[in-house]
Amino acid sequence: SQQGEEDPQALSIQEGENATMNCSYKTSINNLQWYRQNSGRGLVHLILIRSNEREKHSGRLRVTLDTSKKSSSLLITASRAADTASYFCATDAGRYALNFGKGTSLLVTP
Amino acid sequence: EAQVTQNPRYLITVTGKKLTVTCSQNMNHEYMSWYRQDPGLGLRQIYYSMNVEVTDKGDVPEGYKVSRKEKRNFPLILESPSPNQTSLYFCASSPSLLWSEGRRQYFGPGTRLTVL
């Protein structure tokens, strides 16, 4: 069952700008993960944030988690054309499964 | 190189003709899973396996079978494919079953299946 829901569905920005995408979920989670998918390819893990963490950084990525609002955001700073991809949040609620959202499609134009 | 491989990458078949999509990982991961990805629906889990000979249904198991006879392999079997199984399929593996360790997943490159 899908739990994460990304917003917006699609985002178009220019190189150098920041991209922010959001994820909302419904039930309590152990951790939340963000993945990237280049067109038609396998998903690649970007970053994981645990339920007791509020913010995490990895390179140009910044993830926040607000468990009271059941939401997370992914910020990509100084976007590049190579960041063009779909981004998915995945929630780990303790079952032996990750629940993926439908994704945000990011287009970064030169 | 640590990876998850899937074969074939592309397959066009006809209704009712049994097929198998193979998945193999070389990372000694215990957990493996199959997903399908459809436009507007995102990724949905078909089956997963926690170890050899241990499998369980995901959210959309109808029409699929799996087996886990060896730790590295987790084939997906469509005994009688139908057009509604046309989709992009991903195999994934994870090193840990413990949620406390994160359970990040490593994905294969995908298999695009068309059933006519």
Side-chain angles (χ1 to χ4, degrees):
Chain A
S1 57
Q2 286 174 315
Q3 182 174 199
E5 184 120 0
E6 293 88 346
D7 171 63
Q9 288 188 329
L11 181 61
S12 182
I13 60 173
Q14 292 192 312
E15 268 192 325
E17 294 180 337
N18 295 342
T20 299
M21 49 206 89
N22 304 296
C23 171
S24 59
Y25 57 92
K26 294 175 184 170
T27 62
S28 296
I29 60 172
N30 299 316
N31 64 67
L32 186 143
Q33 305 177 32
W34 285 90
Y35 288 79
R36 183 188 73 224
Q37 182 184 34
N38 291 90
S39 181
R41 300 198 170 194
L43 281 73
V44 174
H45 181 266
L46 294 176
I47 194 166
L48 178 151
I49 186 164
R50 300 183 191 279
S51 59
N52 61 353
E53 296 175 314
R54 292 295 167 259
E55 187 170 313
K56 204 160 183 182
H57 297 255
S58 177
R60 291 183 297 113
L61 305 180
R62 172 178 168 253
V63 170
T64 62
L65 179 65
D66 187 334
T67 53
S68 66
K69 295 181 180 177
K70 293 187 170 56
S71 68
S72 173
S73 68
L74 172 67
L75 168 68
I76 305 174
T77 59
S79 296
R80 306 165 182 167
D83 294 326
T84 294
S86 292
Y87 292 82
F88 295 85
C89 68
T91 54
D92 185 341
R95 291 176 57 239
Y96 291 110
L98 286 180
N99 293 315
F100 286 84
K102 297 177 183 178
T104 290
S105 179
L106 173 65
L107 174 64
V108 182
T109 55
Chain B
E1 180 191 351
Q3 60 183 348
V4 178
T5 57
Q6 294 178 228
N7 281 293
R9 295 288 313 282
Y10 302 91
L11 180 60
I12 300 174
T13 189
V14 295
T15 298
K17 187 176 180 183
K18 181 178 179 179
L19 66 92
T20 299
V21 183
T22 64
C23 172
S24 184
Q25 50 92 6
N26 62 0
M27 296 171 278
N28 201 36
H29 287 172
E30 292 184 350
Y31 178 95
M32 297 185 74
S33 181
W34 276 102
Y35 296 88
R36 60 178 289 175
Q37 184 178 31
D38 302 289
L41 296 177
L43 276 89
R44 295 178 292 169
Q45 189 183 51
I46 304 170
Y47 269 96
Y48 63 93
S49 170
M50 292 178 281
N51 213 325
V52 175
E53 303 291 2
V54 181
T55 64
D56 205 351
K57 297 176 182 178
D59 295 318
V60 288
E62 294 76 23
Y64 304 94
K65 282 177 59 177
V66 293
S67 69
R68 187 97 180 267
K69 294 187 171 63
E70 303 167 281
K71 197 171 186 179
R72 63 183 293 130
N73 296 324
F74 190 43
L76 179 69
I77 303 156
L78 285 73
E79 296 256 347
S80 183
S82 62
N84 64 12
Q85 292 178 299
T86 292
S87 187
L88 180 57
Y89 291 87
F90 290 102
C91 180
S93 71
S94 180
S96 173
L97 298 175
L98 299 175
W99 64 262
S100 58
E101 295 182 13
R103 288 205 296 222
R104 61 163 288 187
Q105 295 197 10
Y106 296 77
F107 281 79
T111 294
R112 189 167 292 280
L113 173 65
T114 301
V115 183
L116 302 174

